[in-house]
Amino acid sequence: MICQLCNQEKKLINAHIIPRSFFSDLTEEGRAPIVIDDKAGSYPKRTPIGIYDSEILCEDCERLFSIWDDYGRQFLSQDIDEDKYVLSNGERLAYNFGAYDYSKLKMFFLSVLWRASVSKNKFFYQVQLGPYEDKLKEIVLSGDPGGRDDFAVALSKFDKEANETGYLNPNRVDWEGVNHYRLYINSHMAIIKVTNMKPPNSLHGLYFEENRDLVCIVREFEKSKEYHAMVHTAKNSRKPVES
């Protein structure tokens, strides 16, 4: 079969779109994390080895993602320092991660979005990048994420631990009229601009930028749209959550 990255006919492997390590880290007492697909007729299920596709990458090409995947896991799994919360009247509004590797972290999220775009796994059915798919592919091949406004990425985190939030499938959203995609990984949500339009003003201070601290919004999980979407999907699913 043809590898989606190198365009060569090679033996393809079970390539993970979201790295397997994120799922194995969240397995507790033999129970894998819950994956929730909001597509009609879908039902929540536990996924011990993550979400993969056997029709997108050869082994050589998947190795290209390792350095970004490893850094993404390291960054998103780090211990939280209570002193780094930004407070207002005692309420947590944001979290300052401080210094980080701009290139590696941004390439992690962009590479996950590209993998989701080329995947035929139904979990990623909402990721339809059109002409931007090839542009992201060029970025993956070059390893250069560009400047702040090039496929701009911002991050938010829920106030719950990763094993309490589950996984919701990625989706498209218009943020102040500007096209973005949302990726959910552990207790974090990355929002990625996929358009040539200028970024919305409300996200300017939150987009990843070189030589600046990474600050993300903190959101109450049980008051979020994502939580209510998960509850709605669970209540209307055909089957109970698999054990």
Side-chain angles (χ1 to χ4, degrees):
M1 299 181 68
I2 302 298
C3 173
Q4 295 292 317
L5 190 60
C6 67
N7 294 326
Q8 296 183 34
E9 187 172 346
K10 290 186 174 182
K11 179 181 178 180
L12 304 188
I13 62 171
N14 289 336
H16 282 79
I17 289 82
I18 298 173
R20 178 175 180 171
S21 57
F22 282 100
F23 292 83
S24 59
D25 284 350
L26 299 183
T27 299
E28 289 191 350
E29 299 179 355
R31 294 168 63 83
I34 297 172
V35 171
I36 298 178
D37 182 350
D38 64 1
K39 194 171 185 178
S42 298
Y43 58 91
K45 56 185 176 181
R46 296 188 182 277
T47 307
I49 61 173
I51 305 170
Y52 62 87
D53 194 316
S54 60
E55 299 182 3
I56 60 173
L57 291 172
C58 66
E59 186 173 6
D60 291 334
C61 283
E62 196 196 37
R63 289 198 190 102
L64 297 176
F65 297 94
S66 296
I67 188 171
W68 308 322
D69 289 351
D70 290 346
Y71 185 79
R73 177 196 178 195
Q74 172 191 333
F75 184 89
L76 297 180
S77 301
Q78 64 183 282
D79 292 334
I80 296 299
D81 184 344
E82 292 292 329
D83 292 335
K84 292 185 178 181
Y85 278 108
V86 179
L87 306 176
S88 177
N89 296 322
E91 180 182 358
R92 295 171 176 175
L93 298 182
Y95 186 81
N96 188 338
F97 282 99
Y100 67 108
D101 190 311
Y102 166 84
S103 179
K104 287 182 181 178
L105 189 61
K106 188 171 180 180
M107 284 302 305
F108 166 67
F109 286 114
L110 296 187
S111 67
V112 170
L113 183 62
W114 178 80
R115 281 175 276 185
S117 178
V118 298
S119 173
K120 294 180 181 178
N121 188 302
K122 65 180 182 179
F123 188 73
F124 303 105
Y125 78 99
Q126 293 193 60
V127 183
Q128 304 289 333
L129 302 185
Y132 293 98
E133 184 176 292
D134 286 339
K135 293 182 179 181
L136 262 185
K137 179 178 178 178
E138 293 174 5
I139 288 175
V140 170
L141 288 170
S142 69
D144 182 1
R148 183 196 66 176
D149 294 343
D150 301 315
F151 287 98
V153 180
L155 190 66
S156 67
K157 69 184 296 293
F158 291 119
D159 60 349
K160 296 290 186 180
E161 296 296 327
N163 58 5
E164 299 179 80
T165 60
Y167 271 80
L168 190 65
N169 55 322
N171 55 74
R172 190 182 72 82
V173 60
D174 285 334
W175 196 282
E176 296 181 17
V178 180
N179 187 46
H180 289 74
Y181 276 88
R182 295 182 289 199
L183 294 176
Y184 298 92
I185 300 179
N186 286 10
S187 56
H188 299 82
M189 181 194 79
I191 183 168
I192 303 173
K193 183 175 75 74
V194 183
T195 175
N196 289 327
M197 295 177 64
K198 292 182 178 180
N201 292 330
S202 63
L203 292 177
H204 266 300
L206 298 174
Y207 283 131
F208 295 2
E209 189 169 355
E210 288 192 273
N211 303 316
R212 287 188 58 182
D213 286 357
L214 194 160
V215 178
C216 77
I217 298 298
V218 175
R219 304 167 62 203
E220 290 188 59
F221 180 61
E222 293 182 359
K223 292 183 178 180
S224 69
K225 293 180 179 179
E226 288 83 359
Y227 173 75
H228 292 290
M230 290 179 179
V231 171
H232 175 79
T233 301
K235 287 182 176 180
N236 292 279
S237 63
R238 295 176 179 177
K239 301 179 181 180
V241 178
E242 296 176 353
S243 60

